Amino acid sequence: ERILKAAMPETRPQDNVKAGATLPIEEEFAMGSISHTSWVHGLYFPKNIYKAFDEYVTFTKGDSEIKNHWKEHFDFFLKKLSFRYKGKRLLLKSPANTGRLKELYELYPDARFIHIHRNPMEVYLSNERLYEKILPLIGFQKVTSEFMQEHILYAYEEMYKKYLHDKSFIPDDHIVEISYESFVTSPLDAIHHIYNHLGLDGLSTALPLLAKELQGSANYKPNIYNNLDAEKQAEIKKRWGFAFEAFGYSTGV
């Protein structure tokens, strides 16, 4: 922990969100440390990012042993967390899990799922910035911007087609979808909705802690993105049009 504290920046390079050795982070990085079936290996070796995505996120390529390896190590990691925190409910956050909904439900049929969707245009710009900032820091290979731009288009399309298909397997009271925009505008209202829809208890205990966290983030300023050119917007609308429709976003942006 001391080494990580010295090495890690105070904020994440891509979005200025607080970072640190004792703060929450995607479990995908832990999986990258204990297994070879983690999407983060695609960040370390970006020339292989398609392979990492297809085999470890959507599981559309590779044999069944790859999926079994992921399940085994993911379950092992969660059991360690559960033991460490004496059986408390675990709250996990990883964008890659959007493509693993069915696999997660097979592992944990009593789990609850929260999906926060966002305007696809902003998602594209956010991912573009992520790779611009992260790959030079942690990547052992160099790839072109055009290579990563195509991967963004491919990954979102594949992941959300799978998500929209797989969510039909999840009972309605086990999954809730909210928009990023509503969460940012009225976070406590969104949290109330999540707890009520999923039938979770403990909200009264959590509210003072959540209010304190929100107060500490009051001055946070999100990234401001440049507008996409007309050609790129048209390509996004063409390939991601199904997601605009599914989540109620206008393609006239």
Side-chain angles (χ1 to χ4, degrees):
E1 184 178 313
R2 288 195 299 270
I3 295 172
L4 281 176
K5 280 184 176 179
M8 292 183 69
E10 293 184 359
T11 59
R12 304 195 310 187
Q14 71 269 28
D15 55 16
N16 298 317
V17 170
K18 289 187 295 184
T22 59
L23 293 175
I25 194 170
E26 288 92 340
E27 73 275 7
E28 201 71 23
F29 288 92
M31 284 290 289
S33 297
I34 66 171
S35 78
H36 66 262
T37 49
S38 170
W39 174 77
V40 298
H41 293 304
L43 296 179
Y44 305 143
F45 301 99
K47 289 182 180 180
N48 296 330
I49 197 167
Y50 280 89
K51 181 177 186 293
F53 178 84
D54 291 338
E55 293 188 0
Y56 315 146
V57 177
T58 58
F59 304 109
T60 54
K61 295 183 181 177
D63 56 37
S64 60
E65 285 305 308
I66 292 175
K67 185 190 294 188
N68 292 337
H69 182 276
W70 178 83
K71 283 185 171 182
E72 178 184 344
H73 286 75
F74 190 78
D75 189 55
F76 171 71
F77 174 62
L78 264 57
K79 284 176 178 175
K80 288 182 70 175
L81 285 180
S82 187
F83 179 78
R84 169 67 175 80
Y85 293 103
K86 298 178 172 57
K88 290 177 68 176
R89 180 184 289 273
L90 302 177
L91 177 61
L92 309 172
K93 179 260 179 185
S94 177
N97 285 342
T98 307
R100 303 176 178 134
L101 196 61
K102 186 171 180 286
E103 290 74 20
L104 287 166
Y105 184 63
E106 289 170 350
L107 277 173
Y108 312 110
D110 196 39
R112 302 296 190 268
F113 300 93
I114 304 164
H115 181 66
I116 304 176
H117 56 79
R118 189 177 186 182
N119 187 307
M121 292 293 183
E122 293 184 6
V123 173
Y124 178 87
L125 289 165
S126 177
N127 274 272
E128 195 173 47
R129 181 181 177 87
L130 168 70
Y131 293 129
E132 286 175 354
K133 296 291 184 179
I134 290 294
L135 292 185
L137 295 176
I138 66 175
F140 290 98
Q141 298 169 331
K142 290 185 178 181
V143 291
T144 65
S145 298
E146 291 75 17
F147 178 90
M148 293 311 302
Q149 288 166 2
E150 174 56 32
H151 177 72
I152 294 169
L153 291 168
Y154 172 83
Y156 184 98
E157 182 177 6
E158 294 297 311
M159 185 165 66
Y160 269 101
K161 283 181 177 178
K162 187 172 186 292
Y163 169 82
L164 292 170
H165 174 267
D166 287 357
K167 76 173 186 176
S168 63
F169 296 98
I170 314 299
D172 182 65
D173 59 352
H174 279 45
I175 185 169
V176 62
E177 295 179 341
I178 63 171
S179 72
Y180 170 83
E181 296 80 10
S182 66
F183 183 75
V184 170
T185 303
S186 304
L188 290 180
D189 288 344
I191 289 167
H192 272 276
H193 174 63
I194 290 168
Y195 270 79
N196 291 334
H197 184 92
L198 298 178
L200 301 175
D201 56 17
L203 179 57
S204 59
T205 302
L207 281 175
L209 301 171
L210 293 168
K212 182 179 179 181
E213 183 66 25
L214 287 170
Q215 186 177 9
S217 304
N219 295 324
Y220 173 75
K221 297 187 185 304
N223 290 326
I224 297 175
Y225 301 109
N226 296 324
N227 291 329
L228 288 164
D229 61 53
E231 184 179 352
K232 183 61 71 176
Q233 286 193 45
E235 187 174 12
I236 291 171
K237 292 172 188 177
K238 179 181 177 181
R239 295 178 63 170
W240 297 359
F242 70 95
F244 280 89
E245 181 179 353
F247 298 118
Y249 292 102
S250 171
T251 57
V253 176

